[in-house]
Amino acid sequence: MVRLLVTGGCGFIGSNFIRWLLADDPNVTVVNFDKLTYAGNPENLASVSESDRYDFRQGDISDRDSVDEVLKEFSIDSIVNFAAESHVDRSILDSTPFVHTNIGGTQVLIDSARTNGIDRFVQVSTDEVYGSLGDTGEFSEDTPLAPNSPYAASKTAADLLLRAAVHTHGFPGMITRCSNNYGPYQFPEKLIPLFISNALQHQPLPVYGDGTNVRDWIHVDDHCRGIAAVLRSGEPGDIFNFGGRSELSNIGLTRRLLELLDRPETLIRFVPDRPGHDKRYAIDCSRAEKMLGWKPLVSFEEGLKSTVDWYLQNSEWVDRVRSGAYREYYEEQYGDRLAGE
Ligand code: NAD
Ligand code: TYD
């Protein structure tokens, strides 16, 4: 039996990972350790909350005592670290929690994992550590690190701390770097769920700049399968890129969403650009394909349709997470941008 600690399991990718892993592998128990920030929602795990292979503890990964306690209480042998502040725009408004959790928290987890003799540790990182591409080329695992946003810089720092622990202490750590995820339970601050929920409410869709920035989109299930493959068969120090082989401009994606939702293009608003906005991300994931036998299985067209359906069927979930503090964030991020159009 693998006794796995998942940090940040109440967020978007972590909750999809936990549900997927418990269904996929009967030989794993999962403890979910999550601070429950604005992005953490225990409701995302309602379907497994009664499982005798699942436990939840609320806590902060940068609090050494709480981390030590949970590792000991459940005799944890493996860790997947999803816990992070994850939104670029918020990191531009205030980078403090990004440094606290993404850098400080990751180091505390590594230290506690070392002291407690953890066998395997997967750091869930991002393709944003590589910076931005021009019209051609792809990020490989050997692309130099050149993060541009405070979010990306904090994730890069965490990758380097993990690298140092592997090099110095022989720490059994691996890193995954994935492109933009989409799918069910994504908090509606990221492009796809934000635009779906705005369009459903006949609200404007704020496209930054001219909409020509390009992202590579991967369904969250494909990312989860990749992380599980690294957890099972990665070697200390390994780094794996994951991507969906599905590049799209933001404006192209926005038009496709409006088509699927049967809403008019008059909802599109071109608003002042995100400062330092990375132009293009594209991923070479051939190492994962060769060494892990992994490849993305969900086509973007099918994945986008099923995601739109999920948001249509879960409007109450969206309404609940869009209340309270979300409204203040929305006003701070978009109030002037939309007023100045
Ligand atoms: P999310 O914002 O939806 O969820 C983050 C979770 O971490 C929340 O449940 C939150 O409560 C928890 N958390 C935050 N600070 C914490 C702390 N100090 N201690 C414990 N828990 C804490 O994020 P996501 O989109 O699910 O991303 C998960 C991970 O994947 C992140 O590390 C992110 O950098 C990485 N990633 C995300 C994407 C993407 O497209 N969303 C792509 C590549 C990599
Ligand atoms: P996002 O979902 O924030 O992911 P990331 O910044 O990590 O790639 O944004 C995806 C793309 O969509 C990015 O190029 C920024 C753009 N975007 C908008 O044009 N408008 C928005 O309101 C948001 C949130 C993003």
Side-chain angles (χ1 to χ4, degrees):
M1 201 58 127
V2 172
R3 291 180 299 275
L4 178 68
L5 185 80
V6 171
T7 67
C10 290
F12 163 49
I13 307 175
S15 63
N16 277 285
F17 180 76
I18 291 173
R19 284 192 311 275
W20 178 86
L21 189 69
L22 287 173
D24 183 68
D25 187 350
N27 292 315
V28 67
T29 61
V30 173
V31 180
N32 174 10
F33 185 79
D34 195 301
K35 184 178 178 180
L36 297 182
T37 68
Y38 77 91
N41 186 352
E43 199 186 334
N44 298 356
L45 288 157
S47 64
V48 298
S49 62
E50 299 303 319
S51 165
D52 56 9
R53 291 191 292 126
Y54 174 77
D55 275 288
F56 172 70
R57 287 290 180 277
Q58 184 170 2
D60 185 333
I61 58 164
S62 58
D63 175 356
R64 177 67 190 261
D65 289 344
S66 313
V67 175
D68 280 346
E69 197 180 301
V70 76
L71 294 186
K72 287 195 174 75
E73 181 185 352
F74 292 97
S75 306
I76 295 296
D77 53 47
S78 308
I79 299 178
V80 179
N81 181 26
F82 291 95
E85 290 292 332
S86 70
H87 192 37
V88 172
D89 289 327
R90 287 186 191 255
S91 79
I92 295 169
L93 293 172
D94 179 10
S95 54
T96 314
F98 289 76
V99 173
H100 172 88
T101 289
N102 301 4
I103 305 177
T106 301
Q107 184 62 55
V108 167
L109 264 187
I110 292 170
D111 290 341
S112 179
R114 275 203 318 115
T115 311
N116 287 286
I118 295 305
D119 297 329
R120 306 183 71 71
F121 185 108
V122 178
Q123 171 67 9
V124 180
S125 186
T126 165
D127 62 348
E128 300 190 28
V129 299
Y130 299 121
S132 183
L133 292 165
D135 291 340
T136 57
E138 291 180 330
F139 298 131
S140 80
E141 290 84 351
D142 301 321
T143 301
L145 303 178
N148 289 319
S149 70
Y151 162 70
S154 68
K155 294 294 291 186
T156 308
D159 285 11
L160 294 178
L161 291 169
L162 188 97
R163 179 184 185 281
V166 173
H167 185 82
T168 307
H169 300 291
F171 184 66
M174 285 79 72
I175 294 174
T176 64
R177 294 185 180 142
C178 189
S179 62
N180 288 60
N181 285 220
Y182 69 97
Y185 298 96
Q186 188 168 27
F187 193 83
E189 63 185 357
K190 306 278 172 31
L191 181 76
I192 289 182
L194 176 70
F195 282 14
I196 294 174
S197 47
N198 278 17
L200 288 175
Q201 297 181 6
H202 305 276
Q203 289 175 12
L205 311 189
V207 174
Y208 296 155
D210 61 6
T212 58
N213 301 64
V214 170
R215 295 294 182 263
D216 169 62
W217 294 96
I218 181 172
H219 192 274
V220 65
D221 287 352
D222 282 332
H223 187 191
C224 290
R225 285 190 305 102
I227 292 166
V230 175
L231 181 64
R232 285 168 191 149
S233 52
E235 301 282 338
D238 274 352
I239 299 174
F240 287 101
N241 283 352
F242 294 108
R245 297 197 183 283
S246 193
E247 280 183 58
L248 217 62
S249 69
N250 292 338
I251 188 64
L253 171 55
T254 305
R255 294 208 168 100
R256 185 68 192 118
L257 283 172
L258 288 170
E259 224 175 329
L260 286 172
L261 291 159
D262 197 21
R263 289 287 190 273
E265 291 200 4
T266 50
L267 285 179
I268 296 173
R269 298 285 189 284
F270 291 98
V271 300
D273 211 349
R274 168 188 284 173
H277 195 174
D278 283 341
K279 186 68 185 175
R280 176 171 163 264
Y281 301 148
I283 296 281
D284 171 0
C285 46
S286 53
R287 181 182 286 175
E289 289 175 340
K290 276 194 210 101
M291 291 177 63
L292 301 171
W294 173 94
K295 62 176 183 187
L297 297 178
V298 183
S299 79
F300 185 70
E301 197 46 37
E302 282 312 309
L304 196 65
K305 272 191 205 139
S306 64
T307 301
V308 165
D309 284 346
W310 188 86
Y311 281 90
L312 284 168
Q313 283 156 22
N314 289 275
S315 56
E316 286 170 10
W317 181 92
V318 176
D319 291 345
R320 277 195 292 277
V321 299
R322 274 171 71 113
S323 64
Y326 179 86
R327 294 214 185 104
E328 284 160 37
Y329 164 73
Y330 197 85
E331 181 53 32
E332 188 175 5
Q333 178 63 21
Y334 297 104
D336 286 348
R337 277 193 166 86
L338 285 165
E341 53 179 285

